[in-house]
Amino acid sequence: MPTSPAFDFEEYIRKHALEINQALGEYLPSPRTKPVSIHQAMRYSLFAGGKRVRPILTLAAAEACNGSRANAMPLACAMECIHTYSLIHDDLPSMDDDDFRRGQPTSHKVFGEGIAILAGDALLTQAIEIATHAKGRSRYSHVDLIREITNAAGSLNLIAGQVADLEAAGKKVTLSQLRYIHKRKTSALLMCSVRLGGMSANCTTNQLKALTSFGNHVGLAFQVIDDILDVTRNTEQLGKTAGKDEKASKATYPAIVGLKKSRAIADQLTDKSFAALKPFRGRAKALEAIARSLLKRES
Ligand code: GRG
């Protein structure tokens, strides 16, 4: 595994997360804007302590392609809004029915189911509005940027993954069906976040190809690790209900191939993500460090 001793990862994450939080705060209607219930619910979930993995990936990908923070930030914030919407809806009683997320009671527990559904809807719509603040580039038009997002969030990707996940509950699932779910439910948004960073920086076709492969492998590894954490960590450590997958007879890597093999698969996928960064010749240190930290994450 490559190492990057000179790179201060903790400081990088702290600084970028701070900037993302500030930008999100500015893009969202204030909590005093009417109707206050919806704006408070949107902010409640958005500022509940998420790790900001997707927007940090967008900014890091833009940096790897010498892009400006200013043009990547709206896209980074849009991805975090979409991710948060998907979590709010996933936690609903009609979906995964969870009481805790990001260490806090879930949106429907605090605001009721109706407002939680609407907060998710509003964050998805807000995401597109925020994304319109990014400028198109010579290789990627404004429309290309928006289409990149709608494609990842739509019924061919994020929604397809969630549908397949819902429909697989309680059934015997093969490894290839599990890969189908992971690619769409988890990897699509992560890959899109990385690609958008490159596109905002007017990256070359080769750079976009490398970022796509990186995002895909990081995204797949992310879900394998999420499955492992669900069985190895407790609710307090995760900030969400632990052991839910097994209880709900969910298809997961540990359930199908066992914990040891799941860890080996996460390692292999992360190694493939490092290999994808070769064309950047050391200029993608942040992306590399993020992939390494996601493999080692504990929540
Ligand atoms: C409802 C359309 C719709 C989709 C739901 C988000 C989702 C799809 C399901 C939730 C459960 C799950 C396993 C999602 C896969 C992605 C994932 C592991 C999300 C958690 O991401 P983190 O760890 O969360 O980045 P934080 O809270 O840190 O932002």
Side-chain angles (χ1 to χ4, degrees):
M1 230 182 257
T3 52
S4 45
F7 183 75
D8 187 345
F9 182 66
E10 302 291 319
E11 176 57 16
Y12 183 90
I13 295 296
R14 197 195 60 75
K15 186 167 161 277
H16 283 67
L18 204 74
E19 286 176 14
I20 289 159
N21 288 341
Q22 202 169 348
L24 281 168
E26 285 164 17
Y27 280 130
L28 249 72
S30 93
R32 291 172 301 281
T33 307
K34 284 184 185 171
V36 291
S37 53
I38 191 72
H39 297 123
Q40 285 175 358
M42 288 162 79
R43 283 174 174 266
Y44 173 79
S45 295
L46 202 53
F47 294 106
K51 295 184 289 295
R52 307 302 192 217
V53 172
R54 293 148 194 82
I56 291 175
L57 280 170
T58 305
L59 300 184
E63 287 161 17
C65 303
N66 292 321
S68 79
R69 176 86 42 88
N71 208 36
M73 189 58 93
L75 302 168
C77 290
M79 293 314 290
E80 186 65 14
C81 289
I82 293 178
H83 166 60
T84 303
Y85 125 74
S86 77
L87 297 180
I88 296 174
H89 281 196
D90 185 66
D91 290 333
L92 289 168
S94 56
M95 298 249 186
D96 227 26
D97 192 11
D98 220 318
D99 293 352
F100 284 97
R101 171 72 66 181
R102 294 174 164 174
Q104 320 271 358
T106 41
S107 183
H108 63 272
K109 286 277 155 196
V110 178
F111 298 95
E113 219 177 313
I115 293 295
I117 292 171
L118 292 168
D121 294 341
L123 281 168
L124 174 59
T125 315
Q126 187 77 42
I128 304 302
E129 145 92 29
I130 295 173
T132 64
H133 291 271
K135 289 189 183 68
R137 307 299 308 265
S138 61
R139 294 190 181 96
Y140 311 99
S141 68
H142 199 240
V143 172
D144 289 336
L145 296 174
I146 303 296
R147 192 180 291 130
E148 183 74 23
I149 299 175
T150 53
N151 175 48
S155 64
L156 299 179
N157 283 294
L158 177 65
I159 302 281
Q162 182 73 352
V163 169
D165 196 43
L166 275 178
E167 292 177 350
K171 294 194 188 128
K172 199 168 159 44
V173 168
T174 64
L175 208 49
S176 106
Q177 286 165 325
L178 186 61
R179 281 198 204 103
Y180 174 96
I181 295 173
H182 285 193
K183 192 162 172 44
R184 286 155 186 83
K185 187 179 83 170
T186 310
S187 188
L189 285 193
L190 287 156
M191 189 170 97
C192 174
S193 304
V194 176
R195 280 171 55 92
L196 283 172
M199 291 164 81
S200 75
N202 207 26
C203 66
T204 64
T205 310
N206 275 348
Q207 286 175 325
L208 188 62
K209 203 170 149 200
L211 291 174
T212 305
S213 172
F214 172 80
N216 179 41
H217 289 108
V218 162
L220 294 173
F222 191 89
Q223 185 59 57
V224 179
I225 295 155
D226 209 68
D227 287 356
I228 294 172
L229 293 174
D230 188 70
V231 286
T232 56
R233 310 291 287 174
N234 63 37
T235 299
E236 204 187 340
Q237 289 163 330
L238 290 181
K240 61 181 181 183
T241 315
K244 274 208 87 185
D245 294 341
E246 203 180 341
K247 221 169 163 188
S249 310
K250 274 257 168 103
T252 65
Y253 267 87
I256 298 182
V257 301
L259 261 180
K260 198 168 164 215
K261 188 134 188 246
S262 299
R263 287 202 177 99
I265 291 171
D267 281 348
Q268 282 162 13
L269 288 165
T270 306
D271 280 345
K272 284 187 183 165
S273 77
F274 292 145
L277 294 177
K278 284 231 167 78
F280 289 99
R281 296 170 204 268
R283 280 178 293 107
K285 289 240 180 310
L287 288 176
E288 195 183 295
I290 295 166
R292 191 179 300 113
S293 86
L294 291 178
L295 181 69
K296 305 257 174 281
R297 76 192 167 100
E298 296 185 338
S299 68

